[in-house]
Amino acid sequence: MNLKELSARLGLSQTTVSRALNGYPEVSEATRKRVESAARRYDYRPNPGAKSLATGKTMAIGHVIPVSTRHEIVNPVFADFIAGAGEVYARNGYDMRLTVVPDDDEDHAYREIAARGSVDGIIVHGPRPDDPRVKLLTEIGLPFVVHGRTSTQDETINWVDVNNRRAFERATNFLLDFGHRRIGLVNGLETMDFAMRRRQGYCRALEARGLALDPELMAAEEMTETSGYRAARRMLAAPAPPTAFLASSIISAAGVRRAITDAGLVMGRDISVVIHDDDLGYMKNGEDEPIYTATRSSVRAAGRLCAELLLDIIAEPGQNPRHLLLDADLVLGRSTGPAPGGAGG
Amino acid sequence: MNLKELSARLGLSQTTVSRALNGYPEVSEATRKRVESAARRYDYRPNPGAKSLATGKTMAIGHVIPVSTRHEIVNPVFADFIAGAGEVYARNGYDMRLTVVPDDDEDHAYREIAARGSVDGIIVHGPRPDDPRVKLLTEIGLPFVVHGRTSTQDETINWVDVNNRRAFERATNFLLDFGHRRIGLVNGLETMDFAMRRRQGYCRALEARGLALDPELMAAEEMTETSGYRAARRMLAAPAPPTAFLASSIISAAGVRRAITDAGLVMGRDISVVIHDDDLGYMKNGEDEPIYTATRSSVRAAGRLCAELLLDIIAEPGQNPRHLLLDADLVLGRSTGPAPGGAGG
DNA sequence: AACATCAGCCAAACCGCTTTGGATTTGATT
DNA sequence: AATCAAATCCAAAGCGGTTTGGCTGATGTT
């Protein structure tokens, strides 16, 4: 069923039917009711291609999902982020368009998407410090929101981010207060902006207490169980092993935990662990009481916020850039305790 | 840059330029070269809306991602599945369109997608036994491939599935051969077709040896760490605890493992664990040597196969229904051993 | 009664592409 | 030289919507 048929059946012009359905005032309430009920009866849906051609809007948002070229993995937070964003799109009649791309080819993918003009806006995932995609999209003039930040051009663009530095500074201070002096950082790849900030928070807390930074206690790898395991095992095997770990995700924390168990230690008693918890649906940090002490910030909520912000920008262009800096909660779990034989807080 | 401008610049008609770019023979090689180089120079891309309007094809595939209404979780295998399918789409110039939907509203979502006609085909996720979506899509005539099976209409439709029954039957036999007699099944929700088949495989193996089925040893919940933990803890606390577990995913296995550790037992020594391993990129089952003994089948590969099959069907309609039944590998890890004090295999 | 106003509707143009049905030119054939 | 076929190219008609610029008839004003 298309517009032509529908209007023929109604004995009306296409103009009137289109206007009736799109809420224009030049149509009497009586006819509008009649048109709407007919549209429902015949299950009429405007063809999206035709509509986009006529209006210039595609009612679609593009997401580019980078796949790590090195390890063929796609970041597991995407599932939750997408779920959050998808909710918002569904509520607003928007479509989500996904492109899966090796992470060394992202620029090309964005350029491609922009040139084809098949979306009204883009959400940028996994920004690097000083990310070239930002300049690209700004030049093109395609509305976009960055999930995370890019360090340099922050003022001029729209983004939603967790206050990663603050979160890790707090987590580190928490451990320091417990008397821990050697804290192992099991971070994500520090080519990612968020991982860089987390390390900054960690370092800042240590330096504020006049503690030296030990490169042996800082790992930066993909956030997988295996990487977490390897990093923690290496640190634990060193002459001066850490008494606590700070892990960048609940998944790498699983590896950290395995290394701890392997070493014959008990988490929460012999050794403390604090994680950053993205509050993933399928990887909850416990139920009522958290398993791990954590800095927590829901990535699904971030997805929602990014999508809402983007739709808002599309609806009302020309606003000043907007930023949402979310603070992570510090939740207490059973994975932390005083440093064994430590000096105390 | 659109066709009209491009052809004006070239001093050719839109017809000729369009034909040159789409590989039609009615155009001399010389002009084709000229057109192609101009298209490249001006970075011309045909407008997808216009193209789809003119051709009737959208060059897009729809995926509906159900979100559990009960626990707000989206199945973590999607990330990998989508990565696999996305590769194939990218190679073939197709777009992926995602819709995120509460899992009690999926039918409506499919109907909506079909009515709007914004995709050339659909991949059906998470089929239930005798799933109504299959009938719906068949009626509508939209090409589709099911990831998994629906038990009843299997012969008439296209699907890609792992031989789940066989996999779990083999896994159970493996444990039985080791002398285990009480094996706890930590399954996914058995409203899912794949989970049902897994239980069937488990039961069949037990019955083949004349062993009674104990409902206390069968759990069927969402495949989260927490659910796995709860199920395993309950079973371990029972009067006659299991000496082995069969877990439906590496994530619920993490919970099983936590319950085992909590009970003061050592996995692989005191108690055995076999898992089904979807070979998720961010949740690898070890590196060289698997952590868990597992039935392994890459969900990412399944995504690739589903997409390839669907594109094939779209390109050549009217073929007989095609089925791909993938066999899972049984890989040996360090999580299994003989039943303690058991009768031996 | 003459005129302006306005609500309600419509015909036709347009969005950017593909494709049908010629038109023109070229080269070979007789 | 006349004829025919093949090779190239083009104008125009869709595809299914939205939107511009009228047109008509009823109402209100003077």
Side-chain angles (χ1 to χ4, degrees), chain A residues 126-148:
Chain A
R128 262 74 99 211
D130 204 5
D131 200 301
R133 291 171 291 173
V134 168
K135 199 190 299 169
L136 177 64
L137 289 170
T138 310
E139 278 171 20
I140 293 171
L142 197 61
F144 68 97
V145 169
V146 178
H147 179 213

Side-chain angles (χ1 to χ4, degrees), chain B residues 3 18-19 22 24 44:
Chain B
L3 230 209
S18 169
R19 289 196 157 140
N22 290 315
Y24 283 77
Y44 166 77

Side-chain angles (χ1 to χ4, degrees), chain B residues 219-261:
Chain B
E221 292 177 44
E222 304 253 19
M223 297 189 294
T224 61
E225 201 267 357
T226 314
S227 298
Y229 175 71
R230 231 187 343 239
R233 189 180 53 180
R234 180 168 46 70
M235 293 183 196
L236 287 172
T243 62
F245 284 105
L246 203 44
S248 224
S249 94
I250 195 165
I251 294 177
S252 44
V256 169
R257 188 170 189 175
R258 181 153 63 96
I260 290 173
T261 310

Side-chain angles (χ1 to χ4, degrees), chain A residues 3 15 18-19 22 24 44 54:
Chain A
L3 231 210
T15 310
S18 169
R19 289 197 158 141
N22 289 315
Y24 284 78
Y44 166 77

Side-chain angles (χ1 to χ4, degrees), chain B residues 38-39 43 55-56 64 67 72 75 84 91 114-115 122-123 138 162 196 215 218 223-224 240 245 258 277 308 311 345:
Chain B
D43 204 26
T55 59
V64 174
V67 175
E72 285 257 306
N75 192 328
R91 265 205 300 278
I122 282 188
I123 290 197
T138 311
V162 173
M196 236 191 47
M218 300 189 227
M223 297 189 294
T224 61
F245 284 105
R258 181 153 63 96
D277 178 13
E308 279 164 0
L311 295 191

